[in-house]
Structure formats: C-alpha cells, structure tokens
Amino acid sequence: MKKLCNIVTLILSLILSVGVMTFADACHNKMMGKWMHCHYVQMDVFYIGIGLIVVSLPALFIKNEKIALISAFVQMALAVVAILLPGTIMDMCMMHTMRCYSVMKPFVTVMGILVIISALAGEIVNLLGGKQQK
Amino acid sequence: MNRFLKGHVIRNIIKRPVRSVGLAALVMLLSFSVFSGTLVIASMRNGLGSLKDRLGADIMVVPYEATTKSNLENIILQGNTGYFYMDSSYLKKIASIEGIGQISAQFYLASTSSGCCSVPVEIIGFDPDTDFTIQPWIKQSYHKELKELDVVVGNDLNAFVGDTLTFYGVDVHVAAKLDKTGTNLDTAVYTNESTIKRLIQSSLDKKMNNFADIDPDKVVSCIMINVAEGYTIEEVLNDINIHVRKVEAIKTKNMISGISRSLSGVSDVIGILVIVVWILALVIMIIAFTVSSMERKKEFAVLRAIGASRGRLAGLVMGEGITISLIGSLVGIVLGTLLILPFSNFLEEAFELPFLLPKITIILLAALMSAVISLVAGSLACIIASYRISRIDTGLILREGN
Amino acid sequence: MILRAEGISKQFIRKSGTTNVFIALSETDFTLSEGKLTVITGRSGSGKSTLLNILSGLLSPTQGRVYLGEQELYAMSDKELSILRNRHFGFIPQGQSAIFTLNVMENVLLPYSLYGEYGEGREYAKELLALMDIAELKDAMPNELSGGEMRRMTIARAMIRKPEVIFADEPTGDLDDENTEVVFSLLKQTAQKGASVLLVTHENDAYEYADEVYKMSKGVLHREK
C-alpha cells in the first residue's frame, strides 16, 4: 500500500513535469523572438517536478522509515511551492484568460494537490501499518 | 447494519481490491459526469445571465465599418480588441430620435503590448453623467466616484487595487477590481470619458494609433441606448437605421440570442453525453455486481447453511454495493471539483461562451445532489444481485463441490 | 430435541427430458435419534442429499412436515427458521466451505458473529480447535490449510454453538483414509455427548461408527441397521 502511494507520487510527478513542458505549457510561441516570463515560471515548475521525481526514488528502493518520512515531507513541501509558483511567487501574464493562467496554473494546482494527497496517504498508511505490527 | 455485516462488508471490499476499485470507478464515472455536467451547464447559464446584466442596453449603435470588420458579436461580446470611432455629432442626432430613454456614448482604445507577457488590453471609457451600463457594475465593488486617471480593472486582469498601470506613457491608478462576469468583459479596463480621451490623445501624440486623423474630443466609439417606455425596440432601431447614415444600430438581444443558441447546443450535447455515460455505466454495474456476486455463490451458500437468513445475505450484497457506491460517488465529486473549478477560465476559452461558476452554495448543492443520485443508482444496480443471492439454492451449490 | 419428519416428499420440475416431474424423494417418515450417529448411504442422485437438505431446513418439501421438538420448521418465516438453524443445527457441507476472507478462529466463530454475538464462544472455540488438533492454526488463513485441516475447522464451526442436531453431507468426500477416520470418530464423539448426528456418505467405513444405518435408493429410504 505504501509502495503503491510511492509509485502514484512518482507517476504524478512525471505527469506534472511532462505536462508543463507539453500539453499544459505556459505559452505556445515566443513573442517577438523572446520567451515571455511565464515561460520561466513553467521551467521552474518543471525543475520542481524533476525534484519531486528524484525525491520519490530513494523511498522506492530503500526500506527505511526515516527516509520515507523525510522524502514524503520534502515531496509535500515541493508540491506546495509548485502550487504557489505560478502567479503567487512569480508573476505571470496580464490576463487570467491566457494559457499560463487558464491551463498551466490550474494544472499545476491539481497535480500539486494530488501529490500532497498521495504523499500524505502513503505516510498515514505507513504510520498505521507500523502501529499494527507493534 | 450490525457489526458482522459491517466487518464482513469492509473485509470483502478490501480483500477484493480489483473488483472493488472497478465498481467504485463506475460509480465515480456516474457522479463525476453528472456533477461536472451540471456545473458546466450552470456556469454557462450563469455566464449568460451576467452577460445580459452587463450589456444592459437595448440597442448599440456602432460605425458601419465596425459591422464589416469582423464578427460584430466577437468585438462586442468576446472583447476581441478592435476599435473604431465615429463622429460625436451622431450622438446628438440619435438622441433627438423619438423613443430614446437613456443614451450614453462609450469610447474604445486598445493598449499596445507593453513589455513582455502582456497583450493589448481593451480600454473602455464611459461618460459618468449618462452611463447606465458600466457604472452599476462598478458600484458592486466600488462606491466612490472615479477620479481623473482612475481606472477599474476586470476580474481576469493581473492588476490589483493600488497598482499603477501605464498606457501610452500615461500612468493610471487602479481604483477597483470588478466582480467576475465570466465573459471577456473581465479582461478590459474601464475608465471615465476624460481619462480615456487623455489616453487616446497620448496614443496619437506617440503615433501609436492607426487613426491618425481623429480628434479625441470629437469622436465616440459606440452609443448605448435604452428605449423609453411606450416604444418598442424595433421601432427605435428602424428609426435609427433609416434616418442616420453610416452607422448601424444593433439589437443587443439578438447578439445574446446567438449565444443562447450555442449555449443550448452545448448543454444538449453535454446532457446526451451524461445520459449515455449513465446508461452504459449502469448496465455494466448491474452485470458486474451480479456476476461478481454469483461467483461467490459458494460463500453465500455457506453463510446460509450456518444460519444466515435471506435478508442477511441480501444485506451483505447491498452493504457492499452501497459502501462501494458511496466511495465512488465521493471520489467522482472530488475529481469533478478538481477538473472544473480550477479550469473555469480554460473552459470559457474552449467553449467560446460566457462561463461564470455559480455561487459556492449552489456548487455544494450540485455536489450533494450528484453524490446522492449516484449513490442511489449504484445501490439500485446491486438490488438484482442481492435478490438473486438471497434466492440461491443452498443445497445444490454446496453439493457442486469446489 | 428430536428432529422428526412426517410424510415428506420432494418433486422437482425438470426443464428437459421426457417426464416433467422428477421424484427426488418419495413420501418418507423419519426420526433422528438423540445421541446417536445416523448414517444414510446411497448412490449419487439417490435423494439422500435432498432428504438432508429438507431435514436441515434448507429445502422446503413438496409435501409433509418437519418438526424440531414441537416447532414446525417450514411453518416459520425465513428469518425465524434461519435463527433456529443457527442456534440448533450444525452443518458440515460437502467440499470446502471456508470463508476465505476470515482466519480459522473467525471462521469457527462465524455462527456467533453472524448474529452479532461477538466475544461469545471464544474459549469453547479454542477447546474445539485443540480437540480437532489444529489449535496452533487459529490465526492462519484458510488457503494455508490442508484439506483435512480445513474440514476439521468446518466441523469445529458446526459444533461451536453446541447444536442439538449436526448434519454432515459427504464430509469426507475429498479426504484421504486417515483424515476420513478422524472425521468419523469426531462425529461419533459428538453423538456420544448427546447430539443427534446425521451423516450422509457413500463411504462404507462409516458403518463401523454408525448407530443407525439407512440406505437411500431412487428416493426411497430403507433402514439397514
């Protein structure tokens, strides 16, 4: 069950990273040869997604409760940052009807929430399972 | 439900994860489809309603060129920045026509894309003395009079009260942010007549305006008209179109009726989709519940042999069905919430229709309703299974061996 | 309490075949003796299981009545009859009849927990498991047990409520000789403690343990011993 949550978190992180680079990217085109600044928000979200993937890997292969706990907390923290990045931490486009607001931001929000739920569920299952074994 | 049923039901659900997840996914599909469908249709109706409120005029008069430029509906309703001017003498001419109740001019200007990541923003100016369409809207969020160089911004603009925006080198002050309408009116900036005239003048001075030969004091973009009591819109409309040349009077209701038509088209499609999903999911669920219960005939026969009544067996099957349906319908609501609420701006763009989420109470009500009817549907689907299980021929099944 | 059947018969409507009505059990009177192991033998299809199912309250007869003491089984509602079966009858079905989502102890206690009587019979269940020689398996899941162990678990389950009547339908059909003997002697011991035990089997070994033997042939019951 715990392992399942780990795998789900990993898959969600992958979708987040791939998504912001493809179907949920901030802007389709460069404007006048230059990327607009929401493109850099997108790139930062992408790096956080890579971070999430890296953090979820050790917990998959190493069976250590402390590592699992730390990685879950790091995952949740990264997900919160990812959610806050577009629009809150970093400024984006002028209109909320533009792609960065209408597609990328909600996509990142939803994936971020799912990552938090999955990481949290994994930890809760872990704690409950630990108790039962004792 | 007594403790045995509860314990046995939960155990059966956990010990048969594939079956439980599959059935829960079907119920999830039910609640998701009905919840998101309801939400989308309600948001479109709501958006249309708010558009009607915001348009607030019976007739719009625009320069004749404006009607040929591109789809007029797009210019006015979807806010595709296009701007046009006509001589302000038309205002007087039209005001003198019989049957005019309220009349007020509006001024349009598009900002240039200033800096990266900004696009031309439509700036709409109104005459504070006569305006009857924009000021009631502003009053919902801002009660003071707009001062010189004050603007109010639409809800979808990334600007906030106290910000300073620069248009054509003129700094303006954001005095208020408007309530959301779910239309492209949300991406415009609104200001009074004198401020917009300064902006137009500045754009001319900087040679950033295609209309090099206009005098901002002598032009208007559009005239909004409310018909006086005792006159019909058609009468006034025809009068204007016959007597005033080079302008086009348009009945705003006609523009909205176009939107209403596409709205009812979209809601029909959504409605049919939801019905198809329901029929398919229900048929699959009835079969799945029945097959999966019948696979466990032996288990039920054993329970019967040690003294379970028919009612108790039916209760077991029903208990499982209801528990799975409850989980599935809740997950469906969560999924619908995650997919519809954050993406409302995307849906507005995708459907090209006004899209305004209903109030939170209505969303909650829709969620509750969707959850309840999916739960009921899921429970009904397992009634057949529970009836058949309660009628099994215990002796025969026990003899069938392993 | 004495289990008694008066003039019971059973006819089935066949869906195919030349004659529509198939007589599984001809009119029969039968009384199950207390404290005795009664064995019914016969070929498969002879109607012995039909008789057992009618006597145990699982199959209503076409005609006739079944009494436990003064209570008429098939005059009761399904719920009342089910509770009566739960309290007074123990049933050892043919083949494997473990509930695979429950462990051995929970399986044995199922007749109690079925009606919410949790915590009842736990001590007796331990005794029974010890008697059946599977005490150390109480926390095991059924799929970890051998066929003989599972059958002994089923017997413990049938005996947990100390029922007056125990029905066993081919309880040794899939067991080896050693386990068959264990099962028969356990049933014999139960009868000696005062229960009425009805054993339906085609194993000739059962004769040695039987107090009374009947033979069923084409729906007609004959006393043999």
Side-chain angles (χ1 to χ4, degrees):
Chain A
M1 196 68 185
K2 164 76 182 153
K3 191 146 193 156
L4 183 77
C5 287
N6 276 333
I7 293 169
V8 169
T9 313
L10 179 67
I11 293 171
L12 289 171
S13 312
L14 268 171
I15 298 174
L16 174 67
S17 311
V18 174
V20 291
M21 298 303 282
T22 53
F23 57 86
D25 59 347
C27 344
H28 281 320
N29 307 309
K30 293 180 183 181
M31 194 176 254
M32 290 180 277
K34 274 165 65 185
W35 282 110
M36 300 196 285
H37 63 233
C38 26
H39 175 73
Y40 299 102
V41 180
Q42 168 198 321
M43 292 314 291
D44 287 344
V45 173
F46 174 70
Y47 299 137
I48 288 181
I50 299 294
L52 277 169
I53 294 171
V54 171
V55 171
S56 61
L57 287 178
L60 268 184
F61 298 109
I62 305 167
K63 272 205 168 179
N64 179 317
E65 281 199 20
K66 269 189 186 158
I67 290 181
L69 196 69
I70 292 168
S71 84
F73 272 104
V74 174
Q75 279 167 350
M76 284 187 259
L78 281 176
V80 170
V81 175
I83 293 170
L84 293 179
L85 254 183
T88 313
I89 297 177
M90 290 176 83
D91 221 8
M92 291 200 300
C93 289
M94 191 65 195
M95 291 180 189
H96 292 181
T97 45
M98 294 176 75
R99 263 189 83 80
C100 51
Y101 270 109
S102 72
V103 176
M104 186 181 82
K105 185 178 159 66
F107 172 74
V108 173
T109 308
V110 170
M111 296 312 291
I113 289 173
L114 291 178
V115 166
I116 292 173
I117 291 174
S118 162
L120 206 60
E123 261 331 290
I124 290 170
V125 168
N126 206 19
L127 288 176
L128 290 181
K131 262 183 199 166
Q132 264 174 14
Q133 275 164 16
K134 279 164 206 166
Chain B
M1 219 195 286
N2 78 0
R3 261 174 71 192
F4 167 74
L5 282 182
K6 240 185 267 175
H8 209 68
V9 160
I10 291 167
R11 218 184 274 258
N12 273 322
I13 290 173
I14 294 171
K15 296 270 172 165
R16 296 181 171 83
V18 176
R19 165 182 170 275
S20 306
V21 169
L23 287 169
L26 284 168
V27 186
M28 184 200 77
L29 206 62
L30 293 183
S31 76
F32 170 76
S33 65
V34 75
F35 177 55
S36 53
T38 311
L39 214 53
V40 166
I41 294 173
S43 299
M44 287 176 174
R45 295 235 168 92
N46 207 14
L48 183 68
S50 88
L51 178 67
K52 272 182 192 157
D53 291 348
R54 292 286 58 84
L55 229 48
D58 295 333
I59 297 170
M60 281 178 84
V61 181
V62 295
Y64 189 73
E65 309 96 77
T67 62
T68 57
K69 254 186 189 169
S70 70
N71 191 348
L72 190 70
E73 272 178 31
N74 277 348
I75 292 174
I76 308 300
L77 301 178
Q78 294 301 317
N80 292 8
T81 32
Y83 50 108
F84 36 80
Y85 300 103
M86 56 190 164
D87 200 277
S88 56
S89 63
Y90 286 115
L91 182 61
K92 273 184 198 156
K93 212 180 273 176
I94 293 170
S96 65
I97 286 174
E98 215 183 323
I100 303 280
Q102 289 169 297
I103 181 162
S104 181
Q106 288 188 352
F107 310 85
Y108 297 158
L109 177 68
S111 79
T112 53
S113 7
S114 57
C116 67
C117 213
S118 81
V119 284
V121 174
E122 195 175 17
I123 307 166
I124 298 173
F126 57 89
D127 176 356
D129 298 329
T130 57
D131 172 70
F132 55 94
T133 58
I134 295 171
Q135 290 187 121
W137 181 22
I138 295 176
K139 279 221 176 67
Q140 289 173 6
S141 46
Y142 188 64
H143 300 286
K144 286 181 244 170
E145 193 115 318
L146 284 187
K147 290 199 273 302
E148 185 73 5
L149 295 181
D150 270 357
V151 297
V152 292
V153 294
N155 198 279
D156 275 346
L157 279 182
N158 196 22
F160 304 92
V161 175
D163 284 2
T164 300
L165 300 177
T166 309
F167 296 119
Y168 300 106
V170 181
D171 286 346
V172 293
H173 169 253
V174 178
K177 192 158 187 167
L178 294 165
D179 287 345
K180 196 167 168 62
T181 65
T183 65
N184 279 68
L185 296 169
D186 289 338
T187 57
V189 169
Y190 303 85
T191 188
N192 60 27
E193 186 179 351
S194 58
T195 305
I196 200 164
K197 281 183 172 165
R198 266 173 79 169
L199 295 177
I200 296 172
Q201 187 58 56
S202 176
S203 73
L204 293 171
D205 294 347
K206 290 188 157 44
K207 303 210 184 321
M208 291 196 285
N209 195 316
N210 307 344
F211 297 87
D213 55 342
I214 59 162
D215 176 354
D217 286 325
K218 287 185 178 156
V219 293
V220 298
S221 295
C222 160
I223 298 165
M224 312 298 269
I225 295 166
N226 259 354
V227 173
E229 248 178 75
Y231 294 87
T232 67
I233 297 172
E234 277 72 20
E235 284 169 355
V236 178
L237 187 84
N238 290 336
D239 249 10
I240 298 171
N241 281 338
I242 292 164
H243 297 297
V244 188
R245 299 171 75 188
K246 289 191 176 171
V247 298
E248 179 83 8
I250 305 147
K251 192 174 161 189
T252 53
K253 273 197 188 123
N254 287 349
M255 298 192 289
I256 291 180
S257 71
I259 294 187
S260 301
R261 266 197 303 281
S262 18
L263 177 91
S264 66
V266 171
S267 31
D268 284 353
V269 171
I270 292 175
I272 290 168
L273 277 179
V274 170
I275 290 170
V276 169
V277 166
W278 267 68
I279 292 173
L280 280 178
L282 274 179
V283 170
I284 298 171
M285 269 165 68
I286 290 171
I287 295 170
F289 269 122
T290 311
V291 169
S292 73
S293 310
M294 282 310 174
E295 272 175 2
R296 290 157 58 202
K297 271 194 300 198
K298 175 99 187 181
E299 179 186 330
F300 289 108
V302 169
L303 288 174
R304 180 116 176 99
I306 55 179
S309 60
R310 291 184 199 284
R312 187 132 296 201
L313 292 187
L316 260 177
V317 179
M318 284 302 286
E320 280 186 49
I322 290 172
T323 310
I324 287 173
S325 302
L326 186 67
I327 295 169
S329 62
L330 290 181
V331 173
I333 300 297
V334 171
L335 200 70
T337 311
L338 282 179
L339 283 177
I340 304 294
L341 299 195
F343 287 97
S344 64
N345 273 329
F346 171 72
L347 293 169
E348 182 186 330
E349 299 287 295
F351 288 115
E352 293 184 342
L353 281 171
F355 194 93
L356 183 60
L357 287 172
K359 280 191 220 123
I360 183 77
T361 46
I362 294 181
I363 296 178
L364 286 176
L365 209 67
L368 187 69
M369 177 203 78
S370 315
V372 168
I373 62 172
S374 315
L375 180 60
V376 170
S379 313
L380 287 177
C382 67
I383 276 184
I384 296 174
S386 59
Y387 178 79
R388 286 187 59 182
I389 281 299
S390 73
R391 303 279 133 180
I392 48 172
D393 187 341
T394 313
L396 197 67
I397 292 160
L398 290 176
R399 291 232 97 191
E400 275 169 4
N402 301 315
Chain C
M1 263 187 278
I2 291 171
L3 184 73
R4 179 165 54 91
E6 281 178 9
I8 52 168
S9 66
K10 185 69 186 177
Q11 300 173 355
F12 290 110
I13 308 291
R14 261 200 281 222
K15 279 173 187 159
S16 60
T18 43
T19 45
N20 288 336
V21 179
F22 165 71
I23 298 167
L25 182 66
S26 306
E27 200 176 315
T28 304
D29 292 324
F30 181 80
T31 304
L32 192 61
S33 312
E34 272 181 294
K36 284 183 180 164
L37 175 61
T38 304
V39 172
I40 300 178
T41 62
R43 279 191 223 165
S44 64
S46 61
K48 55 190 195 299
S49 276
T50 304
L51 175 63
L52 180 131
N53 286 331
I54 292 172
L55 292 173
S56 63
L58 288 173
L59 182 68
S60 66
T62 310
Q63 275 180 335
R65 294 188 174 94
V66 181
Y67 296 93
L68 179 70
E70 293 306 310
Q71 287 175 291
E72 191 193 334
L73 261 48
Y74 293 100
M76 297 183 202
S77 73
D78 177 66
K79 198 174 174 182
E80 290 166 338
L81 177 57
S82 297
I83 291 173
L84 178 136
R85 288 192 294 107
N86 179 259
R87 301 276 151 83
H88 302 286
F89 292 171
F91 199 101
I92 303 162
Q94 188 184 28
Q96 297 312 350
S97 65
I99 303 293
F100 284 84
T101 52
L102 302 176
N103 69 24
V104 169
M105 190 59 159
E106 290 165 329
N107 259 288
V108 172
L109 289 172
L110 197 56
Y112 277 116
S113 54
L114 192 62
Y115 284 95
E117 296 162 75
Y118 283 86
E120 299 276 328
R122 191 160 277 272
E123 288 308 310
Y124 187 48
K126 281 183 193 159
E127 271 176 49
L128 283 172
L129 288 177
L131 184 70
M132 304 292 152
D133 205 20
I134 47 172
E136 72 285 2
L137 293 170
K138 70 181 170 62
D139 295 322
M141 297 307 282
N143 54 12
E144 300 166 45
L145 304 186
S146 71
E149 286 164 344
M150 223 188 285
R151 187 56 39 87
R152 280 179 267 163
M153 180 192 85
T154 313
I155 296 171
R157 186 173 67 196
M159 287 162 65
I160 186 71
R161 298 202 74 146
K162 299 175 184 161
E164 283 94 340
V165 188
I166 290 181
F167 298 95
D169 189 4
E170 301 277 9
T172 58
D174 49 358
L175 295 184
D176 56 31
D177 290 349
E178 200 184 324
N179 273 306
T180 302
E181 270 183 46
V182 172
V183 168
F184 286 158
S185 72
L186 281 170
L187 290 174
K188 176 76 180 172
Q189 285 171 36
T190 312
Q192 281 166 348
K193 284 180 194 161
S196 321
V197 180
L198 180 64
L199 169 62
V200 166
T201 183
H202 61 263
E203 305 261 359
N204 292 329
D205 297 2
Y207 281 59
E208 309 169 19
Y209 299 90
D211 297 308
E212 287 176 19
V213 177
Y214 290 84
K215 189 175 168 100
M216 181 71 94
S217 175
K218 289 180 181 170
V220 182
L221 192 67
H222 305 282
R223 174 128 191 203
E224 292 210 333
K225 172 177 162 186

